[in-house]
């Protein structure tokens, strides 16, 4: 269902306030429309996926109205009766019985060729209502190696599965199975994981006769799955590596024998695609100690430095996370440090965030939190309004982005100068960051007080500070913002500055043109051309003077005659 039912707001809560809060939390792009009643509101999303995604975020969320009063939203889905749920479950089961899943299809053939061959092959077993073949993400004309064939009746699908399992189609033996629910797939995967772990413990003593053990991933992506289970501890992550770009024929013992030169291996798990069951080309490998883990990355770092010095075109892709030894069947393996699910998801979101919107939350003091202790109600209300105003500007204007290195500070004492501000922020950056790079502050700019059109020397307590590195800017923000120990009375509030991409681009263009003009005016060619222009101007002036003199002489001669 695409609808969510929202309650819990007071009587005077307006439609504009609700729309503003939803634009910040949800985004109006995912909403189709909002229907607001006296006691509840209906949020209709464009996709049911969006409704499921934002349900936990909205339910129980604390919101402030225009008067500053706080209340919690209550969000629910439309409840269904038991009979309706049972009917839906039975309908889903009947639908699955009419579907067969065909694995191990030849990927050399295009989608159209594969679809026509499947239709010709299975149409004799019954009426085919639909054939769904997921396309390849890199080339949409080709498929991923599996397909779903929908029949009109369940007995037709069962007959087609029994008669064709193991038969050859398009130069490949088909593996045909019935469509299963997500719960059944997860239960089978849990059993396989337990069996794999038992086999790993039994096979450690004899690595030459190890059997092939593969583990499916919880992610549905067919190529990338660099997440570990959330229950994995930090100590285990410190000895685990993630391997990608493995050949499709890679076995578990191939990776163990390859990486055992760096140290003893604790375990190795090959990742399978959730839908097809085929090897996805990625794996997790766990060392018994951190000694082998560090030896691997030390060799990769040395190889990276060597490739940077030689700059060979054939090895441009191998500069990061690989070395000469990490090859299987002539194909290079790429290795990275394994991270948890939450960290991987956060890194993925940040990689797709070109406007650095995740940094807009830094420095915000929520009402009722521990950071808000000791702050007056008026200041908290001002912080809330400024934050909502900033988020609404970012949502409306796509040219605005959050700067990574530039900070905006408020409530600095007017007696402070730029050197004092530099000292305070530099100390916070040094104590808060683990970076070995020196803290470099390139700019401190105050916003001066304007009175009657004239600018005084006193600043208004607001301004900007620019760091060279993002880590130092982030550490300085977290160390100075809302810190009660810096000032005797009051606190300094810091956030990342908002910039307009178009204005920044035009400023850079103007500065580049100005620098080119300065270089040209100081060159010998310009000086010589300047002399030439002066000489030509003098000649023109002299020629004009001679012309007027000749004209006057001719007039005098005329009068004389």
């Amino acid at each position: 269902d695409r609808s969510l039912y929202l309650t819990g707001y007071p009587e005077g809560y307006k439609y504009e306030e609700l729309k503003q809060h939803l634009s910040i939390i949800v985004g109006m792009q995912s909403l189709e429309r909002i229907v607001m009643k006296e006691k509840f509101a209906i949020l209709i999303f464009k996709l049911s996926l969006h409704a499921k995604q934002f349900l936990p975020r909205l339910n129980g969320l604390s919101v402030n109205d225009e008067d500053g009063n706080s209340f919690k939203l209550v969000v629910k889905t439309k409840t269904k009766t038991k009979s309706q749920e049972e009917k839906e479950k039975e309908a889903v089961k009947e639908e699955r019985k009419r579907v067969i899943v065909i694995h191990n299809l030849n990927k050399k053939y295009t989608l159209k060729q594969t679809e026509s061959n499947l239709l010709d092959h299975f149409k004799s077993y019954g009426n085919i209502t639909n054939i769904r073949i997921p396309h390849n993400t890199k080339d949409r004309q080709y498929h991923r190696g599996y397909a779903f064939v929908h029949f009109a009746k369940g007995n037709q699908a069962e007959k087609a599965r029994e008669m064709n399992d193991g038969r050859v189609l398009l130069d490949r033996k088909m593996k045909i199975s019935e469509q299963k629910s997500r719960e059944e797939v997860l239960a089978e995967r849990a059993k396989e994981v337990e069996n794999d772990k038992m086999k790993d413990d039994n096979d450690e003593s004899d690595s030459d006769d190890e059997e092939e053990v593969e583990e499916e991933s919880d992610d549905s992506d067919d190529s990338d799955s660099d997440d570990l289970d959330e229950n994995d501890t930090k100590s285990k992550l410190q000895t685990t590596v993630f391997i990608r770009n493995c050949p499709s024929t890679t076995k578990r013992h191939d990776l163990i024998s390859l990486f055992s030169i760096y140290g003893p291996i604790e375990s190795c798990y090959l990742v399978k695609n959730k839908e097809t069951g085929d090897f996805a080309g990625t794996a997790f490998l766990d060392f018994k100690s951190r000694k082998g883990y560090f030896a691997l990355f030390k060799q990769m770092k040395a190889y990276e430095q060597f490739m940077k010095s030689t700059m060979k075109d054939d090895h441009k892709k191998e500069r990061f996370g690989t070395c000469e030894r990490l090859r299987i069947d002539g194909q290079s393996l790429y290795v990275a440090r394994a991270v948890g699910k939450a960290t991987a998801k956060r890194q993925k979101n940040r990689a797709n965030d070109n406007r650095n919107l995740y940094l807009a939350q830094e420095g915000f003091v929520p009402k009722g939190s521990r950071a808000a202790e000791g702050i007056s109600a008026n200041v908290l209300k001002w912080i809330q309004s400024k934050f909502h105003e900033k988020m609404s500007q970012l949502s409306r204007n796509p040219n605005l982005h959050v700067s990574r290195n530039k900070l905006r500070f408020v409530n600095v004492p007017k007696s402070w100068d730029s050197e004092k501000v530099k000292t305070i922020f530099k100390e916070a950056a040094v104590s808060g960051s683990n970076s070995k790079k020196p803290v470099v502050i390139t700019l401190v700019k105050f916003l001066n007080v304007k009175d009657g059109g004239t600018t005084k020397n006193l600043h208004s307590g607001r301004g900007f500070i620019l760091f060279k590195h993002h880590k130092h800017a982030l550490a300085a923000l977290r160390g100075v913002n809302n810190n009660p120990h810096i000032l005797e009375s009051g606190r300094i509030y810091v956030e990342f500055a908002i910039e307009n991409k178009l204005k920044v681009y035009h400023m850079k263009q103007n500065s580049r043109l100005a620098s080119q003009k300065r270089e040209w005016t100081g060159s010998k060619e310009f000086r010589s051309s300047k002399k030439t222009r002066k000489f030509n101007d003098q000649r023109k002036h002299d020629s004009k003077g001679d012309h007027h003199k000749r004209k006057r002489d001719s007039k005098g001669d005329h009068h004389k005659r």
Side-chain angles (χ1 to χ4, degrees):
D1 192 7
R2 298 185 292 119
S3 302
L4 293 179
Y5 292 82
L6 186 143
T7 57
Y9 53 82
E11 292 182 359
Y13 195 57
K14 298 179 182 178
Y15 174 80
E16 289 75 14
E17 296 180 69
L18 176 61
K19 192 174 180 181
Q20 182 182 359
H21 290 143
L22 290 175
S23 64
I24 296 169
I25 302 163
V26 176
M28 300 306 294
Q29 295 178 352
S30 57
L31 277 170
E32 186 175 312
R33 67 181 184 273
I34 303 171
V35 181
M36 195 163 184
K37 306 288 184 180
E38 293 182 1
K39 296 183 180 180
F40 67 94
I42 305 173
L43 311 180
I44 302 175
F45 291 83
K46 293 181 179 179
L47 298 173
S48 59
L49 180 66
H50 293 157
K52 293 179 181 178
Q53 181 181 358
F54 292 113
L55 175 61
R57 295 191 192 179
L58 293 170
N59 191 24
L61 182 70
S62 297
V63 181
N64 297 329
D65 57 6
E66 292 181 349
D67 300 331
N69 299 321
S70 179
F71 58 90
K72 289 187 178 181
L73 297 176
V74 179
V75 183
K76 297 179 181 179
T77 57
K78 190 176 180 181
T79 56
K80 298 178 181 179
T81 60
K82 292 184 178 180
S83 59
Q84 288 178 342
E85 292 179 357
E86 290 176 357
K87 287 181 181 179
E88 288 182 359
K89 288 181 180 179
E90 290 178 1
V92 170
K93 287 181 181 179
E94 290 295 327
E95 181 64 28
R96 287 201 194 102
K97 290 180 181 179
R98 295 196 293 267
V99 182
I100 60 172
V101 187
I102 304 170
H103 305 273
N104 201 31
L105 293 174
N106 200 335
K107 297 181 183 180
K108 294 181 180 179
Y109 293 89
T110 62
L111 276 170
K112 291 183 178 180
Q113 292 173 343
T114 307
E115 185 177 357
S116 61
N117 278 275
L118 287 173
L119 183 61
D120 294 339
H121 186 82
F122 287 99
K123 66 182 180 182
S124 59
Y125 297 95
N127 185 18
I128 296 175
T129 58
N130 184 26
I131 296 177
R132 187 169 65 87
I133 308 175
H135 62 78
N136 194 340
T137 54
K138 296 180 179 179
D139 191 351
R140 301 178 71 91
Q141 294 182 356
Y142 291 86
H143 56 85
R144 300 183 186 179
Y146 63 97
F148 300 90
V149 180
H150 297 249
F151 286 88
K153 296 181 180 179
N155 56 0
Q156 297 173 355
E158 186 179 0
K159 184 179 179 182
R161 179 171 57 83
E162 292 175 354
M163 298 292 292
N164 291 277
D165 190 17
R167 292 185 62 180
V168 177
L169 179 67
L170 298 176
D171 306 327
R172 288 282 188 92
K173 282 187 177 181
M174 292 184 294
K175 295 179 181 178
I176 304 177
S177 62
E178 59 183 2
Q179 193 180 27
K180 299 177 182 178
S181 64
R182 183 176 179 81
E183 291 77 11
E184 292 173 348
V185 173
L186 291 175
E188 290 180 0
R189 189 179 297 121
K191 289 181 180 179
E192 288 183 6
V193 171
E194 292 179 1
N195 295 333
D196 290 344
K197 288 182 179 179
M198 293 176 63
K199 287 181 181 179
D200 287 336
D201 296 336
N202 297 331
D203 294 343
E204 279 179 1
S205 59
D206 189 7
S207 60
D208 296 332
D209 299 330
E210 287 176 341
E211 297 178 357
E212 176 187 353
V213 181
E214 299 182 347
E215 180 186 43
E216 287 188 356
S217 172
D218 287 339
D219 294 333
S220 59
D221 192 359
D222 59 302
S223 59
D224 296 341
S225 178
D226 53 352
D227 296 340
L228 285 177
D229 191 3
E230 292 178 349
N231 297 326
D232 288 337
T233 58
K234 290 184 179 180
S235 59
K236 186 174 182 180
L237 288 173
Q238 290 174 354
T239 58
T240 306
V241 295
F242 172 68
I243 310 164
R244 65 192 310 172
N245 201 37
C246 302
S248 58
T249 57
T250 304
K251 305 299 179 186
R252 179 174 167 273
H253 60 80
D254 294 335
L255 293 173
I256 291 176
S257 60
L258 180 64
F259 285 87
S260 59
I261 58 175
Y262 302 103
I265 306 300
E266 179 72 25
S267 60
C268 177
Y269 300 118
L270 301 183
V271 177
K272 281 184 178 182
N273 184 6
K274 176 183 171 183
E275 296 181 354
T276 63
D278 299 332
F279 177 50
T282 57
F284 291 102
L285 189 134
D286 187 19
F287 287 92
K288 282 188 176 180
S289 64
R290 300 188 70 185
K291 189 175 181 180
Y293 179 82
F294 286 124
L296 169 63
F297 284 98
K298 186 178 180 180
Q299 186 173 13
M300 287 197 301
K301 188 175 181 180
Y303 181 75
E304 180 186 353
Q305 293 175 352
F306 169 73
M307 296 310 303
K308 282 184 177 179
S309 62
T310 54
M311 293 296 290
K312 292 182 180 179
D313 294 335
D314 296 339
H315 295 81
K316 280 186 178 180
K317 292 183 180 179
E318 302 173 5
R319 290 181 197 168
F320 174 75
T322 188
C323 64
E324 281 293 335
R325 289 185 176 182
L326 300 181
R327 291 176 179 269
I328 293 179
D329 296 338
Q331 188 168 329
S332 298
L333 307 182
Y334 299 97
V335 183
R337 290 177 173 85
V339 295
K341 269 190 176 182
T343 306
K345 188 176 181 180
R346 188 164 58 249
Q347 290 175 354
K348 187 177 180 180
N349 293 336
R350 290 183 180 181
N352 298 330
D353 187 8
N354 297 325
R355 298 169 60 197
N356 307 320
L357 296 180
Y358 68 95
L359 293 175
Q361 302 284 343
E362 290 288 342
F364 175 61
V365 182
K367 189 176 181 180
S369 62
R370 293 182 62 184
E373 296 177 359
I375 303 177
S376 63
N378 293 331
V379 175
L380 271 177
K381 188 175 180 180
W382 173 78
I383 291 172
Q384 299 279 336
S385 63
K386 288 293 182 183
F387 176 73
H388 292 316
E389 183 182 349
K390 178 178 69 173
M391 297 304 292
S392 63
Q393 287 178 357
L394 289 170
S395 62
R396 287 197 307 265
N397 191 351
N399 292 325
L400 296 179
H401 74 285
V402 184
S403 175
R404 286 174 56 84
N405 300 341
K406 191 175 182 180
L407 300 178
R408 178 179 177 270
F409 55 82
V410 182
N411 202 29
V412 168
K414 296 182 180 180
S415 58
W416 287 13
D417 57 357
S418 59
E419 293 299 323
K420 178 69 174 177
V421 173
K422 271 188 180 181
T423 305
I424 295 296
F425 277 84
K426 194 171 184 177
E427 289 176 357
V430 171
S431 60
S433 66
N434 298 324
S435 177
K436 296 180 180 179
K437 297 178 181 178
V439 179
V440 180
I441 298 175
T442 58
L443 175 69
V444 176
K445 183 179 180 180
F446 290 104
L447 299 179
N448 295 334
V449 179
K450 294 185 178 181
D451 185 17
T454 59
T455 304
K456 295 183 178 180
N457 293 328
L458 291 175
H459 60 79
S460 60
R462 296 177 290 122
F464 300 94
I465 183 168
L466 183 63
F467 287 82
K468 188 177 180 181
H469 304 291
H470 170 66
K471 286 186 177 180
H472 297 150
L474 185 62
L477 183 148
R478 292 175 176 174
V480 177
N481 179 56
N482 196 26
N483 192 338
H485 305 294
I486 295 177
L487 302 179
E488 294 181 359
S489 61
R491 302 180 185 184
I492 301 173
Y493 301 102
V494 191
E495 63 181 2
F496 281 98
I498 296 176
E499 294 179 337
N500 193 317
K501 287 186 178 181
L502 292 178
K503 289 183 179 179
V504 172
Y505 172 76
H506 290 311
M507 288 173 63
K508 288 182 180 179
Q509 287 288 97
N510 294 336
S511 62
R512 183 177 62 83
L513 294 173
S515 63
Q516 289 179 356
K517 187 177 180 180
R518 286 194 297 269
E519 291 176 1
W520 166 246
T521 53
S523 62
K524 292 181 180 180
E525 292 83 358
F526 177 78
R527 289 197 293 270
S528 61
S529 63
K530 195 173 182 181
K531 290 179 181 178
T532 306
R533 287 199 302 274
K534 275 187 176 182
F535 179 72
N536 293 334
D537 293 343
Q538 188 65 34
R539 284 188 66 185
K540 286 181 181 179
H541 181 73
D542 293 343
S543 63
K544 284 182 180 180
D546 294 340
H547 171 70
H548 290 299
K549 187 178 180 182
R550 286 195 300 273
K551 195 172 182 180
R552 287 196 301 271
D553 293 343
S554 63
K555 283 183 180 181
D557 293 341
H558 172 70
H559 290 296
K560 189 176 181 181
R561 287 196 297 273

